[in-house]
């Protein structure tokens, strides 16, 4: 472990379980942190000027593009995202972020347009300011969710038991490249037939990937987090067991019961809105994330990223809790919310006897 990495690691004095957990993520030693030369509050905030946009590993990478005028008018020092393709987001100086989209019929455009018709649903997503076309490229303009926060703690949680579209895994072609990726992680994972063929289908590989995280069992996974005054900690997808998740949440919340109480209230409100929303009743929601942020004065939580939302055919409906079977379009969004709320409730219940090893 390098000196820089040691300075940026989350303290876990005398906490063997958390140390083991971090080592499972290949340690902070492999995290690619960006440490400002002068760690001022302003620089810490500039590191956080992002909206977490998650993308599957196998998705086509975004075409690199940063608007020319952004380089001259406003480009925050060290600007970054917790996850996703950095080329897909362009910051502005007006409390707005621009997310690159394919065109005016993009699924995310349609999602925000429909959500805009539901006043209650509007309360749980970033404010949507419409479309913008610049240099032949289309963008949607969204609220900068960190505006008004001072050196906040941030967590990005991907929701759902399935984070891929059925259309993405319909091809049954055997893929040697995906077999190699699988055995690089776990040589015992392929079946004897797959070992013999030295190839797997994309569906098989994607299900294998989901099983490595808590997505399959709990319907959510912690993608990344950032603690006050620290660089973001990423590559948390293998945080899988209940104990690992609890320790990570405890690190994030730092035994602040007022934040815990307000966050639980917010999450339960969001769940109720989703259950009652016409938009969510008629859409499959894939790859959306819960974005949580708090500082000494405020707390916020929003559902973000609707790039893979798809309207259901008339004959189908989903409850967002039933297990997925090919064709039923269930994705476990509300199952994930249920499990996440339960995890935060457990942390809140035992925060009175907070473990000494979880000091921030």
């Amino acid at each position: 472990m390098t000196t820089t990495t040691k300075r940026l690691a989350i303290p876990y004095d005398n906490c063997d379980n958390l140390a083991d957990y971090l080592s499972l993520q290949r340690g902070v030693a492999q995290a690619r942190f960006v440490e400002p030369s002068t760690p001022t509050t302003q620089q810490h905030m500039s590191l956080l000027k992002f909206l977490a946009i998650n993308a599957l590993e196998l998705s086509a990478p975004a075409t690199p593009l940063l608007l020319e005028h952004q380089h001259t008018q406003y480009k925050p020092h060290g600007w970054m995202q917790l996850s996703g393709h950095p080329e897909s987001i362009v910051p502005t100086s007006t409390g707005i972020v621009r997310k690159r989209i394919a065109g005016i019929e993009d699924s995310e455009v349609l999602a925000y347009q429909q959500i805009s018709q539901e006043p209650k649903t509007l309360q749980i997503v970033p404010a949507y300011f419409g479309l913008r076309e610049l240099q032949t490229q289309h963008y949607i303009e969204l609220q900068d969710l960190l505006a008004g926060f001072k050196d906040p703690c941030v967590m990005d949680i991907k929701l759902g038991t399935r984070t891929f579209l059925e259309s993405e895994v319909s091809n049954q072609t055997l893929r040697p490249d995906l077999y190699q990726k699988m055995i690089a992680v776990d040589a015992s994972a392929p079946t004897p037939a797959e070992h013999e063929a030295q190839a797997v289908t994309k569906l098989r590989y994607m299900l294998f990937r989901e099983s490595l995280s808590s997505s399959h069992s709990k319907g959510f996974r912690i993608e990344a987090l950032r603690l006050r005054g620290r660089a973001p900690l990423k590559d948390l997808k293998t945080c899988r067991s209940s104990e690992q998740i609890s320790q990570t949440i405890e690190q994030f919340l730092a035994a602040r019961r007022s934040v815990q109480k307000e966050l639980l209230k917010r999450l339960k409100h969001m769940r109720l809105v989703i259950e009652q929303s016409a938009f969510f009743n008629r859409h499959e929601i894939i790859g959306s994330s819960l974005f949580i942020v708090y500082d000494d004065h405020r707390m916020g939580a929003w559902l973000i990223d609707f790039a893979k939302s798809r309207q259901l055919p008339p004959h189908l409906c989903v409850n967002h809790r039933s297990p997925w079977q090919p064709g039923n379009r269930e994705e476990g969004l509300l199952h994930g919310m249920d499990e996440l709320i339960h995890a935060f409730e457990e942390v809140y219940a035992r925060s009175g006897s907070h473990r000494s090893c979880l000091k921030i």
Side-chain angles (χ1 to χ4, degrees):
M1 182 178 291
T2 65
T3 302
T4 298
T5 300
K6 288 180 181 177
R7 288 200 302 270
L8 294 173
I10 298 175
Y12 46 85
D13 299 341
N14 303 317
C15 188
D16 294 336
N17 288 336
L18 187 55
D20 290 341
Y21 152 53
L22 290 175
S23 69
L24 285 175
Q25 321 313 318
R26 292 178 295 280
V28 180
Q30 293 186 16
R32 291 174 295 194
F33 292 139
V34 178
E35 184 178 24
S37 56
T38 307
T40 63
T41 298
Q42 182 179 0
Q43 287 172 322
H44 286 316
M45 282 304 295
S46 68
L47 281 171
L48 285 171
K49 288 300 179 183
F50 63 84
L51 198 64
I53 304 299
N54 294 300
L56 291 171
E57 175 187 347
L58 296 176
S59 298
T63 302
L65 176 65
L66 285 174
L67 298 182
E68 182 178 347
H69 75 276
Q70 294 293 351
H71 289 280
T72 57
Q73 292 185 13
Y74 179 75
K75 185 180 179 183
H77 173 73
W79 184 85
M80 64 179 296
Q81 296 168 236
L82 282 183
S83 57
H85 297 300
E87 300 88 357
S88 65
I89 299 293
V90 177
T92 76
S93 59
T94 57
I96 293 174
V97 293
R98 291 180 183 142
K99 181 180 179 183
R100 189 176 59 82
I101 57 173
I104 60 174
E105 296 299 319
D106 186 271
S107 295
E108 195 148 26
V109 175
L110 300 177
Y112 275 108
Q113 288 175 345
Q114 293 180 59
I115 289 173
S116 296
Q117 306 303 312
E118 299 183 19
K120 290 185 178 180
T121 310
L122 274 176
Q123 299 172 11
I124 67 170
V125 302
Y128 172 62
F129 301 112
L131 283 164
R132 177 70 66 90
E133 183 176 355
L134 296 166
Q135 298 182 350
T136 72
Q137 177 64 61
H138 288 92
Y139 292 84
I140 54 173
E141 295 191 331
L142 300 170
Q143 172 189 359
D144 178 357
L145 298 179
L146 291 159
F149 287 94
K150 183 178 181 180
D151 194 19
C153 295
V154 183
M155 182 176 278
D156 173 19
I157 305 169
K158 188 178 286 290
L159 294 173
T161 54
R162 171 172 61 92
T163 59
F164 55 86
L165 292 166
E166 293 186 8
S167 60
E168 293 178 307
V169 295
S170 59
N171 192 326
Q172 294 301 304
T173 301
L174 292 174
R175 298 270 299 273
D177 59 323
L178 299 185
Y179 170 81
Q180 292 298 324
K181 286 187 175 185
M182 181 182 287
I183 63 174
V185 176
D186 183 357
S188 65
T191 64
E194 289 168 343
H195 274 306
E196 183 177 357
Q198 295 193 355
V200 296
T201 65
K202 187 172 181 179
L203 174 59
R204 172 75 171 93
Y205 177 73
M206 296 304 290
L207 291 174
F208 166 72
R209 283 190 65 221
E210 304 287 37
S211 71
L212 296 176
S213 72
S214 58
S215 289
H216 179 70
S217 59
K218 297 183 179 298
F220 72 86
R221 68 177 183 239
I222 300 173
E223 290 278 295
L225 64 84
R226 187 264 190 186
L227 302 181
R228 169 177 295 178
R230 305 295 180 90
L233 179 61
K234 302 186 278 188
D235 195 22
L236 299 179
K237 295 182 178 65
T238 53
C239 174
R240 180 168 51 181
S241 72
S242 295
E243 184 61 21
Q244 289 171 343
I245 290 169
S246 291
Q247 289 181 351
T248 305
I249 291 174
E250 287 176 337
Q251 282 274 358
F252 176 66
L253 294 176
R256 300 181 63 162
R257 288 183 64 82
S258 61
V259 174
Q260 296 171 15
K261 184 177 180 180
E262 288 303 309
L263 179 55
L264 276 170
K265 182 179 178 181
R266 173 67 170 170
L267 293 180
K268 290 177 180 180
H269 170 71
M270 294 177 71
R271 179 173 63 182
L272 181 62
V273 169
I274 292 171
E275 289 173 334
Q276 297 177 346
S277 165
F279 171 81
F280 285 97
N281 184 52
R282 295 301 313 150
H283 283 78
E284 170 188 22
I285 309 297
I286 298 294
S288 291
S289 290
L290 185 67
F291 184 86
I292 301 172
V293 55
Y294 76 88
D295 61 13
D296 287 335
H297 307 287
R298 300 174 55 201
M299 184 283 302
W302 297 267
L303 192 64
I304 65 172
D305 197 352
F306 298 97
K308 291 190 175 183
S309 64
R310 297 292 186 272
Q311 185 166 342
L312 298 169
H315 66 282
L316 274 183
C317 62
V318 295
N319 58 34
H320 304 291
R321 288 187 171 98
S322 296
W324 174 64
Q325 297 177 351
N328 73 358
R329 306 287 285 273
E330 292 286 357
E331 80 302 84
L333 177 74
L334 282 173
H335 171 64
M337 287 289 290
D338 294 339
E339 291 288 335
L340 186 64
I341 289 170
H342 178 68
F344 275 96
E345 284 178 331
E346 287 192 330
V347 169
Y348 180 71
R350 68 188 193 186
S351 64
S353 56
H354 200 62
R355 302 171 185 175
S356 61
C357 66
L358 292 174
K359 295 177 182 177
I360 297 297

